[in-house]
Amino acid sequence: DIVMTQSPDSLAVSLGERATINCKSSQSVLYSSNNKNYLAWYQQKPGQPPKLLIYWASTRESGVPDRFSGSGSGTDFTLTISSLQAEDVAVYYCQQYYSTTFTFGPGTKVDIK
Amino acid sequence: EVQLVESGGGLVQPGRSLRLSCAASGFTFDDYAMHWVRQAPGKGLEWVSGISWNSGSIGYADSVKGRFTISRDNAKNSLYLQMNSLRAEDTALYYCAKVRDVLLWFGGFDPWGQGTLVTVSS
């Protein structure tokens, strides 16, 4: 199975500042035939189901604010919140869907400093 | 509005069985792959199982392989998870989720249901 790791485990950022979350896969999730990275990012707020933010590593889901962006390729990926807002306090997960057994990262908790 | 509503959770003794259901509405159910994801109390997300739009492709996490069976009834717009030989470590909130893109097995999950809680305890 592909193992996903995330760093840091948690971070606290001042309102309006940038938050950066890293995700690493144990093997490449780049499918060479279509040049797509099979990776998604989710946001989960307390008491709510996860919400899809980013898919194909860098495509923002409809309705997601443009302060959220995804980047990276192969095995190393980043979710960036360009200007943290109070409503962005949540746990963020990356997920690979390259293999037939999908796996999630352990999550990164984002708080306000 | 796309909606997924899980049901069937509850308290069950170790070794017993439970069947979860997910009722879908607001989209053409038989065009989309569907998945089950669980979350133990206070823990992260764990993918459990997935099924393609026509049931031709099915996958399971190693932790449930041989014990859980995923299925779907496209005529009833419903997804199921038959859980046998339940263990304490299966205790979790079980979510069903739709793959974002039509006819694809692979893709981001959107949306998710609210989940149904399964507690395995004697």
Side-chain angles (χ1 to χ4, degrees):
Chain A
D1 287 2
I2 298 176
V3 177
M4 307 300 290
T5 57
Q6 289 182 231
S7 62
D9 294 336
S10 64
L11 74 162
V13 175
S14 300
L15 288 172
E17 294 301 304
R18 178 184 301 260
T20 301
I21 300 169
N22 300 300
C23 172
K24 190 174 183 69
S25 58
S26 61
Q27 65 187 74
S28 176
V29 298
L30 174 62
Y31 194 42
S32 56
S33 67
N34 60 10
N35 202 36
K36 285 187 172 184
N37 287 284
Y38 284 42
L39 184 113
W41 288 97
Y42 299 87
Q43 175 193 64
Q44 187 178 32
K45 297 181 179 180
Q48 295 184 18
K51 173 188 173 183
L52 178 66
L53 296 177
I54 304 285
Y55 57 99
W56 303 124
S58 61
T59 303
R60 194 181 307 113
E61 175 68 312
S62 174
V64 173
D66 61 7
R67 64 180 179 273
F68 291 92
S69 63
S71 62
S73 184
T75 61
D76 293 280
F77 301 91
T78 300
L79 175 70
T80 301
I81 310 172
S82 61
S83 176
L84 191 75
Q85 304 300 303
E87 61 266 31
D88 301 334
V89 170
V91 178
Y92 293 83
Y93 296 92
C94 61
Q95 176 210 27
Q96 66 80 19
Y97 44 89
Y98 181 89
S99 71
T100 52
T101 53
F102 297 17
T103 46
F104 290 89
T108 294
K109 186 175 182 182
V110 175
D111 270 320
I112 305 295
K113 185 186 290 182
Chain B
E1 179 195 2
V2 175
Q3 199 168 12
L4 299 171
V5 179
E6 302 93 338
S7 60
L11 175 63
V12 62
Q13 293 180 327
R16 303 298 290 267
S17 299
L18 209 57
R19 188 196 197 205
L20 305 184
S21 300
C22 172
S25 61
F27 66 101
T28 305
F29 182 71
D30 52 11
D31 276 350
Y32 292 89
M34 299 291 296
H35 293 259
W36 288 99
V37 178
R38 67 185 181 184
Q39 187 168 34
K43 302 297 184 182
L45 303 172
E46 180 187 14
W47 176 81
V48 173
S49 182
I51 186 168
S52 62
W53 63 275
N54 63 352
S55 303
S57 294
I58 287 176
Y60 298 97
D62 288 344
S63 58
V64 307
K65 199 174 295 182
R67 300 188 299 122
F68 290 11
T69 302
I70 192 171
S71 63
R72 63 189 296 161
D73 185 336
N74 286 346
K76 294 183 177 180
N77 290 347
S78 293
L79 175 72
Y80 305 101
L81 187 68
Q82 177 67 42
M83 304 186 297
N84 299 332
S85 304
L86 282 161
R87 306 166 179 167
E89 54 265 36
D90 296 319
T91 294
L93 186 62
Y94 284 74
Y95 296 103
C96 70
K98 164 188 159 291
V99 170
R100 184 192 180 279
D101 297 306
V102 64
L103 297 181
L104 289 185
W105 165 257
F106 302 101
F109 294 171
D110 179 62
W112 299 53
Q114 291 295 316
T116 186
L117 182 62
V118 173
T119 303
V120 184
S121 174
S122 54

